[in-house]
Amino acid sequence: MSHAHEAIRIPGPISVRELAELLDESPIAVIKTLMAMGVMANINQVLDPDTAALAAEEMGHPVILPGEEEAEEEAAEETTAIEEEVEPVAEVKPTRKQRLYANERPEDLQPRPPIVAVLGHVDHGKTTLLDAIRQTRVAEGEAGGITQHIGAYQVTKQGRLITFIDTPGHEAFTAMRARGAQGADIVILVIAADDGVMPQTIEAYEHAKAAGVPIIVAVTKVDKNNANPDRVRQQAADQLGLIPEEWGGDVPFVDLAAPKGQGIDELLDYILIVADLHQDEIVANPNRSAQGVVLESELDPRQGVVATLLVLNGTLRQRDTVLAGTAYGRIRAMFDDQGKRVKEAPPSTPVRVLGLNEVPPAGQFFEVVESERAAREIVEQRKRRLEQKRARGRITLEDVFRQLQAGQREELNLVVKADTQGTLDALVDSLHDLATDDVAVKIIRQGVGPVSESDVMLASASDAIVIGFGVKVDRVARERAEQEGVQIRTYDVIYHLLEDVEKALKGLLEPETEEFVLGTAEVRAVFKVRGGKVAGCYVLDGVIRRNAKARLVRDGEVVADTKVASLKRFQEDVAEVRQGFECGIALEGVTDYKEGDLIEAYEVREI
């Protein structure tokens, strides 16, 4: 540690911005130091004094904390104490991607093409940007165009390959992040010049920050009449802590008009520059069996299970036996992103493969094993562990107090969704106020809108509970929550929500009731009958029961929460109708149905 700097005083909890001013360093340099320590922080995040002190010392600044004597001996002793205390803060669980290369001998590691994920808000031009990048490949005269879409592709720039993960269209990046695979080396955060930072922009930034990867901001649609690229830069700096290079920060911002091809070359050049800055991390050992991540998969009626795999380490070869979660099989055929058949795929290469016995989920880690027999044995073990995990149940609010008492937990992690921004702000403030000296309430994501699969995956990765206020839970999210063991609690009264969390923190929570969805039916026709209207429905999944509680959902919004008053098949009253059958449904108190409405039958059970 250099003592060239004058000792600084840290008065107490301090934001990253304030610490940077105190040290006379750029905020980016402070954020990078914190990231190297394993602490992910943005410019406005408040650090505890110990973490701030450790970061300052890492940057060569001696520190005096409140209550310290300025004598050199005591300061030295105190510094040692700080380091000992702060060590758990700096200690961070390495990502699966980091563990992937950590086991390799340095002399075996070789450079590989950078893997780039393009993220951002819907309609901000992600797909248009990716299409424009694809066109550069065709323009460079490489053999053929894109013959099939495989969720990822490679382009050549300055004679070097770059791999793009085509995140629009699937949620692989969310799932990768949640499972710790974190396949991307660089994230391009797309922000439209005519729209600015939006909720999904912030969510995308959260994923990139959590993955600890460098970010390049692509400012799209700069050719629009109402475009304001400078406003985008200001918002990115204020809301996300991303300081543009031209303002003295270290985040590249590139202005783009993708349909015209403007800015594409500059963006690709920046990707290579950023890759060179991180060249020690963008490496792999090509001379070993392959490991990587599933980008997407489907069941094709003609070809069977088709999966797109992204090789992160090693080389994947035809006839290898691949294991991905509980899916396995010998690769019968392998195709590159242009649909050409290939025999092997080195690191950073995306390939479409045939031969797995079931469809693996996007984001699932895969590896090559020695034989199908070995794969079967591992799958059996995994299935047994999954059953045991399900038997143990989920982490619930009821568990929290027991874990607090046993000293196994010091914070309650929450994902919070609400119906409006005003409600959300009030709710978050109130939840933070419930924190005690012993227990922190940490909100790892907050947002407006229904509870989504992405929320559940983030909660699963962070051992968190999902809380929804005045919002519905989409069907995919509910199914994923069952699989991942995530508790989702929904409320309509803010007082009840806060009371439950407070009781959980104090160990007073009553037995919980939980909603179980019985089935979902889609309204296909509306019939007039004496006394009102009846919805002619097709049961999409599960079962619809007479007298069950039910809600009518239109365009994602709940328009009625009532019960099934009558249920008929061919004029006959029936007690229940199962998946795949048609029926007539009348809901109590509902007089208006529209084709495309969903009717969700549910019951409330005490756990």
PDB file of all heavy atoms in Angstrom, residues 521-547:
ATOM      1  N   ALA A 521     -58.820 -21.703 -18.634  1.00  0.00           N
ATOM      2  CA  ALA A 521     -59.624 -21.903 -19.844  1.00  0.00           C
ATOM      3  C   ALA A 521     -59.615 -20.628 -20.668  1.00  0.00           C
ATOM      4  O   ALA A 521     -59.564 -19.528 -20.114  1.00  0.00           O
ATOM      5  CB  ALA A 521     -61.051 -22.284 -19.477  1.00  0.00           C
ATOM      6  N   GLU A 522     -59.641 -20.790 -21.993  1.00  0.00           N
ATOM      7  CA  GLU A 522     -59.668 -19.627 -22.886  1.00  0.00           C
ATOM      8  C   GLU A 522     -61.071 -19.474 -23.467  1.00  0.00           C
ATOM      9  O   GLU A 522     -61.690 -20.452 -23.895  1.00  0.00           O
ATOM     10  CB  GLU A 522     -58.662 -19.812 -24.024  1.00  0.00           C
ATOM     11  CG  GLU A 522     -58.603 -18.613 -24.947  1.00  0.00           C
ATOM     12  CD  GLU A 522     -57.642 -18.818 -26.126  1.00  0.00           C
ATOM     13  OE1 GLU A 522     -57.413 -19.978 -26.514  1.00  0.00           O
ATOM     14  OE2 GLU A 522     -57.133 -17.813 -26.636  1.00  0.00           O
ATOM     15  N   VAL A 523     -61.575 -18.231 -23.467  1.00  0.00           N
ATOM     16  CA  VAL A 523     -62.899 -17.959 -24.042  1.00  0.00           C
ATOM     17  C   VAL A 523     -62.769 -17.955 -25.561  1.00  0.00           C
ATOM     18  O   VAL A 523     -62.020 -17.157 -26.133  1.00  0.00           O
ATOM     19  CB  VAL A 523     -63.453 -16.613 -23.529  1.00  0.00           C
ATOM     20  CG1 VAL A 523     -64.809 -16.324 -24.181  1.00  0.00           C
ATOM     21  CG2 VAL A 523     -63.570 -16.613 -22.012  1.00  0.00           C
ATOM     22  N   ARG A 524     -63.497 -18.872 -26.214  1.00  0.00           N
ATOM     23  CA  ARG A 524     -63.428 -18.983 -27.684  1.00  0.00           C
ATOM     24  C   ARG A 524     -64.689 -18.393 -28.349  1.00  0.00           C
ATOM     25  O   ARG A 524     -64.684 -18.076 -29.533  1.00  0.00           O
ATOM     26  CB  ARG A 524     -63.289 -20.460 -28.098  1.00  0.00           C
ATOM     27  CG  ARG A 524     -61.997 -21.145 -27.578  1.00  0.00           C
ATOM     28  CD  ARG A 524     -60.854 -20.924 -28.544  1.00  0.00           C
ATOM     29  NE  ARG A 524     -59.557 -21.381 -28.028  1.00  0.00           N
ATOM     30  CZ  ARG A 524     -59.027 -22.593 -28.265  1.00  0.00           C
ATOM     31  NH1 ARG A 524     -59.686 -23.493 -28.972  1.00  0.00           N
ATOM     32  NH2 ARG A 524     -57.829 -22.878 -27.789  1.00  0.00           N
ATOM     33  N   ALA A 525     -65.802 -18.311 -27.595  1.00  0.00           N
ATOM     34  CA  ALA A 525     -67.060 -17.760 -28.142  1.00  0.00           C
ATOM     35  C   ALA A 525     -67.912 -17.282 -26.971  1.00  0.00           C
ATOM     36  O   ALA A 525     -67.712 -17.699 -25.829  1.00  0.00           O
ATOM     37  CB  ALA A 525     -67.809 -18.825 -28.941  1.00  0.00           C
ATOM     38  N   VAL A 526     -68.861 -16.362 -27.268  1.00  0.00           N
ATOM     39  CA  VAL A 526     -69.754 -15.843 -26.221  1.00  0.00           C
ATOM     40  C   VAL A 526     -71.194 -16.080 -26.666  1.00  0.00           C
ATOM     41  O   VAL A 526     -71.575 -15.737 -27.795  1.00  0.00           O
ATOM     42  CB  VAL A 526     -69.505 -14.339 -25.971  1.00  0.00           C
ATOM     43  CG1 VAL A 526     -70.410 -13.830 -24.856  1.00  0.00           C
ATOM     44  CG2 VAL A 526     -68.042 -14.077 -25.624  1.00  0.00           C
ATOM     45  N   PHE A 527     -71.988 -16.689 -25.778  1.00  0.00           N
ATOM     46  CA  PHE A 527     -73.393 -17.013 -26.110  1.00  0.00           C
ATOM     47  C   PHE A 527     -74.332 -16.256 -25.185  1.00  0.00           C
ATOM     48  O   PHE A 527     -74.072 -16.131 -23.983  1.00  0.00           O
ATOM     49  CB  PHE A 527     -73.649 -18.517 -25.946  1.00  0.00           C
ATOM     50  CG  PHE A 527     -72.707 -19.379 -26.760  1.00  0.00           C
ATOM     51  CD1 PHE A 527     -71.668 -20.062 -26.146  1.00  0.00           C
ATOM     52  CD2 PHE A 527     -72.859 -19.478 -28.141  1.00  0.00           C
ATOM     53  CE1 PHE A 527     -70.797 -20.844 -26.884  1.00  0.00           C
ATOM     54  CE2 PHE A 527     -71.988 -20.263 -28.886  1.00  0.00           C
ATOM     55  CZ  PHE A 527     -70.949 -20.937 -28.257  1.00  0.00           C
ATOM     56  N   LYS A 528     -75.447 -15.761 -25.781  1.00  0.00           N
ATOM     57  CA  LYS A 528     -76.474 -15.123 -24.961  1.00  0.00           C
ATOM     58  C   LYS A 528     -77.443 -16.198 -24.483  1.00  0.00           C
ATOM     59  O   LYS A 528     -77.871 -17.061 -25.258  1.00  0.00           O
ATOM     60  CB  LYS A 528     -77.239 -14.077 -25.779  1.00  0.00           C
ATOM     61  CG  LYS A 528     -76.420 -12.819 -26.036  1.00  0.00           C
ATOM     62  CD  LYS A 528     -77.239 -11.769 -26.761  1.00  0.00           C
ATOM     63  CE  LYS A 528     -76.399 -10.514 -26.980  1.00  0.00           C
ATOM     64  NZ  LYS A 528     -77.066  -9.540 -27.841  1.00  0.00           N
ATOM     65  N   VAL A 529     -77.785 -16.160 -23.205  1.00  0.00           N
ATOM     66  CA  VAL A 529     -78.774 -17.089 -22.649  1.00  0.00           C
ATOM     67  C   VAL A 529     -79.716 -16.268 -21.776  1.00  0.00           C
ATOM     68  O   VAL A 529     -79.474 -15.087 -21.512  1.00  0.00           O
ATOM     69  CB  VAL A 529     -78.097 -18.189 -21.780  1.00  0.00           C
ATOM     70  CG1 VAL A 529     -77.245 -19.085 -22.634  1.00  0.00           C
ATOM     71  CG2 VAL A 529     -77.280 -17.586 -20.652  1.00  0.00           C
ATOM     72  N   ARG A 530     -80.803 -16.927 -21.343  1.00  0.00           N
ATOM     73  CA  ARG A 530     -81.710 -16.219 -20.439  1.00  0.00           C
ATOM     74  C   ARG A 530     -80.953 -15.818 -19.180  1.00  0.00           C
ATOM     75  O   ARG A 530     -80.274 -16.642 -18.570  1.00  0.00           O
ATOM     76  CB  ARG A 530     -82.880 -17.122 -20.031  1.00  0.00           C
ATOM     77  CG  ARG A 530     -83.987 -17.183 -21.079  1.00  0.00           C
ATOM     78  CD  ARG A 530     -85.285 -17.683 -20.475  1.00  0.00           C
ATOM     79  NE  ARG A 530     -85.105 -18.850 -19.604  1.00  0.00           N
ATOM     80  CZ  ARG A 530     -85.066 -20.098 -20.062  1.00  0.00           C
ATOM     81  NH1 ARG A 530     -85.188 -20.329 -21.351  1.00  0.00           N
ATOM     82  NH2 ARG A 530     -84.898 -21.100 -19.223  1.00  0.00           N
ATOM     83  N   GLY A 531     -81.018 -14.592 -18.831  1.00  0.00           N
ATOM     84  CA  GLY A 531     -80.358 -14.170 -17.596  1.00  0.00           C
ATOM     85  C   GLY A 531     -78.915 -13.728 -17.802  1.00  0.00           C
ATOM     86  O   GLY A 531     -78.196 -13.555 -16.832  1.00  0.00           O
ATOM     87  N   GLY A 532     -78.440 -13.580 -19.066  1.00  0.00           N
ATOM     88  CA  GLY A 532     -77.077 -13.072 -19.234  1.00  0.00           C
ATOM     89  C   GLY A 532     -76.316 -13.733 -20.370  1.00  0.00           C
ATOM     90  O   GLY A 532     -76.891 -14.093 -21.394  1.00  0.00           O
ATOM     91  N   LYS A 533     -75.022 -13.918 -20.149  1.00  0.00           N
ATOM     92  CA  LYS A 533     -74.157 -14.506 -21.177  1.00  0.00           C
ATOM     93  C   LYS A 533     -73.359 -15.657 -20.589  1.00  0.00           C
ATOM     94  O   LYS A 533     -73.080 -15.679 -19.381  1.00  0.00           O
ATOM     95  CB  LYS A 533     -73.177 -13.451 -21.711  1.00  0.00           C
ATOM     96  CG  LYS A 533     -73.837 -12.359 -22.542  1.00  0.00           C
ATOM     97  CD  LYS A 533     -72.817 -11.352 -23.002  1.00  0.00           C
ATOM     98  CE  LYS A 533     -73.478 -10.248 -23.819  1.00  0.00           C
ATOM     99  NZ  LYS A 533     -72.525  -9.192 -24.174  1.00  0.00           N
ATOM    100  N   VAL A 534     -72.966 -16.583 -21.477  1.00  0.00           N
ATOM    101  CA  VAL A 534     -72.116 -17.716 -21.083  1.00  0.00           C
ATOM    102  C   VAL A 534     -70.895 -17.712 -21.998  1.00  0.00           C
ATOM    103  O   VAL A 534     -71.005 -17.426 -23.197  1.00  0.00           O
ATOM    104  CB  VAL A 534     -72.885 -19.054 -21.208  1.00  0.00           C
ATOM    105  CG1 VAL A 534     -71.948 -20.244 -21.060  1.00  0.00           C
ATOM    106  CG2 VAL A 534     -73.991 -19.130 -20.179  1.00  0.00           C
ATOM    107  N   ALA A 535     -69.757 -18.036 -21.429  1.00  0.00           N
ATOM    108  CA  ALA A 535     -68.522 -18.086 -22.214  1.00  0.00           C
ATOM    109  C   ALA A 535     -68.291 -19.515 -22.705  1.00  0.00           C
ATOM    110  O   ALA A 535     -68.229 -20.451 -21.900  1.00  0.00           O
ATOM    111  CB  ALA A 535     -67.346 -17.630 -21.359  1.00  0.00           C
ATOM    112  N   GLY A 536     -68.186 -19.663 -24.015  1.00  0.00           N
ATOM    113  CA  GLY A 536     -67.804 -20.961 -24.586  1.00  0.00           C
ATOM    114  C   GLY A 536     -66.293 -21.077 -24.522  1.00  0.00           C
ATOM    115  O   GLY A 536     -65.586 -20.269 -25.135  1.00  0.00           O
ATOM    116  N   CYS A 537     -65.782 -22.052 -23.773  1.00  0.00           N
ATOM    117  CA  CYS A 537     -64.345 -22.090 -23.459  1.00  0.00           C
ATOM    118  C   CYS A 537     -63.690 -23.403 -23.864  1.00  0.00           C
ATOM    119  O   CYS A 537     -64.365 -24.433 -23.999  1.00  0.00           O
ATOM    120  CB  CYS A 537     -64.133 -21.917 -21.941  1.00  0.00           C
ATOM    121  SG  CYS A 537     -64.736 -20.338 -21.324  1.00  0.00           S
ATOM    122  N   TYR A 538     -62.354 -23.316 -23.979  1.00  0.00           N
ATOM    123  CA  TYR A 538     -61.519 -24.501 -24.169  1.00  0.00           C
ATOM    124  C   TYR A 538     -60.539 -24.527 -23.002  1.00  0.00           C
ATOM    125  O   TYR A 538     -59.856 -23.534 -22.727  1.00  0.00           O
ATOM    126  CB  TYR A 538     -60.766 -24.402 -25.505  1.00  0.00           C
ATOM    127  CG  TYR A 538     -59.814 -25.548 -25.764  1.00  0.00           C
ATOM    128  CD1 TYR A 538     -60.278 -26.772 -26.261  1.00  0.00           C
ATOM    129  CD2 TYR A 538     -58.454 -25.411 -25.518  1.00  0.00           C
ATOM    130  CE1 TYR A 538     -59.398 -27.820 -26.503  1.00  0.00           C
ATOM    131  CE2 TYR A 538     -57.567 -26.453 -25.748  1.00  0.00           C
ATOM    132  CZ  TYR A 538     -58.056 -27.662 -26.246  1.00  0.00           C
ATOM    133  OH  TYR A 538     -57.192 -28.699 -26.476  1.00  0.00           O
ATOM    134  N   VAL A 539     -60.456 -25.668 -22.299  1.00  0.00           N
ATOM    135  CA  VAL A 539     -59.588 -25.752 -21.118  1.00  0.00           C
ATOM    136  C   VAL A 539     -58.142 -25.982 -21.577  1.00  0.00           C
ATOM    137  O   VAL A 539     -57.822 -27.022 -22.156  1.00  0.00           O
ATOM    138  CB  VAL A 539     -60.045 -26.874 -20.151  1.00  0.00           C
ATOM    139  CG1 VAL A 539     -59.146 -26.901 -18.912  1.00  0.00           C
ATOM    140  CG2 VAL A 539     -61.499 -26.664 -19.737  1.00  0.00           C
ATOM    141  N   LEU A 540     -57.285 -24.979 -21.315  1.00  0.00           N
ATOM    142  CA  LEU A 540     -55.889 -25.045 -21.777  1.00  0.00           C
ATOM    143  C   LEU A 540     -55.037 -25.961 -20.915  1.00  0.00           C
ATOM    144  O   LEU A 540     -54.155 -26.666 -21.404  1.00  0.00           O
ATOM    145  CB  LEU A 540     -55.271 -23.642 -21.759  1.00  0.00           C
ATOM    146  CG  LEU A 540     -55.901 -22.600 -22.673  1.00  0.00           C
ATOM    147  CD1 LEU A 540     -55.291 -21.233 -22.406  1.00  0.00           C
ATOM    148  CD2 LEU A 540     -55.711 -22.971 -24.132  1.00  0.00           C
ATOM    149  N   ASP A 541     -55.273 -25.919 -19.589  1.00  0.00           N
ATOM    150  CA  ASP A 541     -54.489 -26.783 -18.709  1.00  0.00           C
ATOM    151  C   ASP A 541     -55.239 -26.999 -17.408  1.00  0.00           C
ATOM    152  O   ASP A 541     -56.122 -26.231 -17.038  1.00  0.00           O
ATOM    153  CB  ASP A 541     -53.095 -26.198 -18.433  1.00  0.00           C
ATOM    154  CG  ASP A 541     -53.161 -24.839 -17.774  1.00  0.00           C
ATOM    155  OD1 ASP A 541     -53.601 -24.757 -16.623  1.00  0.00           O
ATOM    156  OD2 ASP A 541     -52.774 -23.854 -18.422  1.00  0.00           O
ATOM    157  N   GLY A 542     -54.898 -28.089 -16.719  1.00  0.00           N
ATOM    158  CA  GLY A 542     -55.495 -28.375 -15.417  1.00  0.00           C
ATOM    159  C   GLY A 542     -56.956 -28.729 -15.516  1.00  0.00           C
ATOM    160  O   GLY A 542     -57.388 -29.413 -16.452  1.00  0.00           O
ATOM    161  N   VAL A 543     -57.733 -28.226 -14.582  1.00  0.00           N
ATOM    162  CA  VAL A 543     -59.147 -28.581 -14.494  1.00  0.00           C
ATOM    163  C   VAL A 543     -59.945 -27.365 -14.020  1.00  0.00           C
ATOM    164  O   VAL A 543     -59.469 -26.579 -13.193  1.00  0.00           O
ATOM    165  CB  VAL A 543     -59.334 -29.785 -13.528  1.00  0.00           C
ATOM    166  CG1 VAL A 543     -58.854 -29.447 -12.124  1.00  0.00           C
ATOM    167  CG2 VAL A 543     -60.776 -30.261 -13.485  1.00  0.00           C
ATOM    168  N   ILE A 544     -61.143 -27.179 -14.576  1.00  0.00           N
ATOM    169  CA  ILE A 544     -62.064 -26.124 -14.114  1.00  0.00           C
ATOM    170  C   ILE A 544     -63.168 -26.820 -13.307  1.00  0.00           C
ATOM    171  O   ILE A 544     -63.780 -27.781 -13.799  1.00  0.00           O
ATOM    172  CB  ILE A 544     -62.681 -25.353 -15.301  1.00  0.00           C
ATOM    173  CG1 ILE A 544     -61.593 -24.786 -16.224  1.00  0.00           C
ATOM    174  CG2 ILE A 544     -63.611 -24.249 -14.786  1.00  0.00           C
ATOM    175  CD1 ILE A 544     -60.738 -23.694 -15.626  1.00  0.00           C
ATOM    176  N   ARG A 545     -63.399 -26.361 -12.052  1.00  0.00           N
ATOM    177  CA  ARG A 545     -64.409 -26.997 -11.192  1.00  0.00           C
ATOM    178  C   ARG A 545     -65.551 -26.034 -10.898  1.00  0.00           C
ATOM    179  O   ARG A 545     -65.325 -24.833 -10.698  1.00  0.00           O
ATOM    180  CB  ARG A 545     -63.783 -27.430  -9.859  1.00  0.00           C
ATOM    181  CG  ARG A 545     -62.781 -28.548 -10.017  1.00  0.00           C
ATOM    182  CD  ARG A 545     -62.514 -29.292  -8.719  1.00  0.00           C
ATOM    183  NE  ARG A 545     -61.531 -30.338  -8.968  1.00  0.00           N
ATOM    184  CZ  ARG A 545     -60.348 -30.415  -8.401  1.00  0.00           C
ATOM    185  NH1 ARG A 545     -59.982 -29.517  -7.517  1.00  0.00           N
ATOM    186  NH2 ARG A 545     -59.513 -31.396  -8.693  1.00  0.00           N
ATOM    187  N   ARG A 546     -66.765 -26.580 -10.853  1.00  0.00           N
ATOM    188  CA  ARG A 546     -67.920 -25.757 -10.470  1.00  0.00           C
ATOM    189  C   ARG A 546     -67.747 -25.278  -9.034  1.00  0.00           C
ATOM    190  O   ARG A 546     -67.238 -26.016  -8.181  1.00  0.00           O
ATOM    191  CB  ARG A 546     -69.211 -26.573 -10.619  1.00  0.00           C
ATOM    192  CG  ARG A 546     -70.475 -25.712 -10.476  1.00  0.00           C
ATOM    193  CD  ARG A 546     -71.743 -26.453 -10.830  1.00  0.00           C
ATOM    194  NE  ARG A 546     -72.017 -27.543  -9.880  1.00  0.00           N
ATOM    195  CZ  ARG A 546     -72.243 -28.790 -10.243  1.00  0.00           C
ATOM    196  NH1 ARG A 546     -72.220 -29.132 -11.508  1.00  0.00           N
ATOM    197  NH2 ARG A 546     -72.487 -29.713  -9.341  1.00  0.00           N
ATOM    198  N   ASN A 547     -68.113 -24.039  -8.764  1.00  0.00           N
ATOM    199  CA  ASN A 547     -68.030 -23.401  -7.436  1.00  0.00           C
ATOM    200  C   ASN A 547     -66.601 -23.031  -7.015  1.00  0.00           C
ATOM    201  O   ASN A 547     -66.408 -22.508  -5.919  1.00  0.00           O
ATOM    202  CB  ASN A 547     -68.682 -24.250  -6.334  1.00  0.00           C
ATOM    203  CG  ASN A 547     -70.182 -24.394  -6.563  1.00  0.00           C
ATOM    204  OD1 ASN A 547     -70.810 -23.454  -7.060  1.00  0.00           O
ATOM    205  ND2 ASN A 547     -70.738 -25.552  -6.249  1.00  0.00           N
TER     206      ASN A 547
END
